Amino acid sequence: MSIKVLRLNKAGTPIAWLSWQETATLLVKDQVLWSIGDTVHKVRGGYNKAGTRSELELPSIIACDGRVDNHAFTPALSNSLLFARDQQLCMYCGLEYPVKDLSRDHIVPTSRGGKDIWTNCITACRRCNNRKGSHTPEEAHMQLLAIPFAPNRYEFFYLSNRDVLADQMDFLKSRFSVNGSAFV
């Protein structure tokens, strides 16, 4: 079973994706403050003397006690997250490609002082990336189809799980940035 449960802190900020086993452990230890969403899994236990079987329902989103950080969050840049942010589309030709045919392109090339950061990187097919070379898009006469942005915490959690459930998506999507609205 690959369903993941979204763990939040007590303020409702995403912290981690949990397995059903980790979720069950937190519920049994009474460490869940509140939960929302649909039941994603039922764990059945043993029978008591009366012949009743125990059952634990696991919700799709749980909140636990712990430290609340209010600092800005920017995830580390990786190709898998970058390609997910750009929906596996080349930001020059607009075509969708399998991951093996994609590359990270720096809008301002690193050879010219460009940084390896979210706002300077886009997904490009290998053909377009080679065509652009060490030029800026303007110099190569290539137009960008979208403005690159750094995902916020909620967008990051969406990008980092391939199997986001509908109620988890509703929770996360309500906190996407304006730029991130192109995701869905």
Side-chain angles (χ1 to χ4, degrees):
M1 178 177 165
S2 65
I3 292 175
K4 297 286 186 185
V5 173
L6 182 59
R7 179 179 177 177
L8 313 173
N9 64 18
K10 61 187 170 189
T13 305
I15 297 174
W17 288 107
L18 302 176
S19 67
W20 69 266
Q21 296 95 331
E22 293 166 318
T23 305
T25 300
L26 290 170
L27 283 165
V28 169
K29 289 183 173 184
D30 203 26
Q31 293 180 342
V32 175
L33 298 175
W34 50 272
S35 66
I36 57 175
D38 300 328
T39 298
V40 294
H41 189 63
K42 290 183 182 181
V43 180
R44 292 177 175 80
Y47 293 91
N48 64 15
K49 287 183 181 181
T52 305
R53 188 172 193 180
S54 63
E55 186 174 271
L56 183 63
E57 293 186 355
L58 308 181
S60 62
I61 303 170
I62 63 169
C64 300
D65 202 4
R67 198 176 80 175
V68 176
D69 285 331
N70 291 328
H71 68 280
F73 174 84
T74 302
L77 177 61
S78 70
N79 281 352
S80 62
L81 290 175
L82 178 68
F83 299 164
R85 181 198 72 183
D86 294 344
Q87 299 176 343
Q88 291 185 223
L89 298 174
C90 174
M91 290 292 114
Y92 295 116
C93 68
L95 298 175
E96 184 176 353
Y97 290 90
V99 171
K100 67 180 179 62
D101 295 330
L102 295 173
S103 62
R104 181 188 306 189
D105 181 57
H106 296 85
I107 297 167
V108 176
T110 55
S111 63
R112 298 176 58 185
K115 296 183 178 176
D116 194 34
I117 57 174
W118 282 101
T119 54
N120 189 46
C121 292
I122 54 106
T123 300
C125 68
R126 296 191 187 284
R127 182 177 166 273
C128 286
N129 201 350
N130 287 335
R131 181 175 156 225
K132 179 179 162 283
S134 61
H135 301 287
T136 65
E138 294 81 18
E139 292 169 346
H141 304 289
M142 298 172 75
Q143 186 172 350
L144 276 174
L145 300 178
I147 298 170
F149 64 95
N152 67 29
R153 180 182 301 269
Y154 298 88
E155 293 160 342
F156 166 72
F157 274 87
Y158 164 69
L159 294 172
S160 65
N161 183 1
R162 294 176 184 245
D163 300 314
V164 178
L165 302 173
D167 55 348
Q168 295 168 337
M169 185 66 212
D170 289 343
F171 177 84
L172 293 170
K173 189 177 178 184
S174 68
R175 291 155 180 89
F176 282 5
S177 64
V178 174
N179 290 334
S181 63
F183 279 133
V184 179

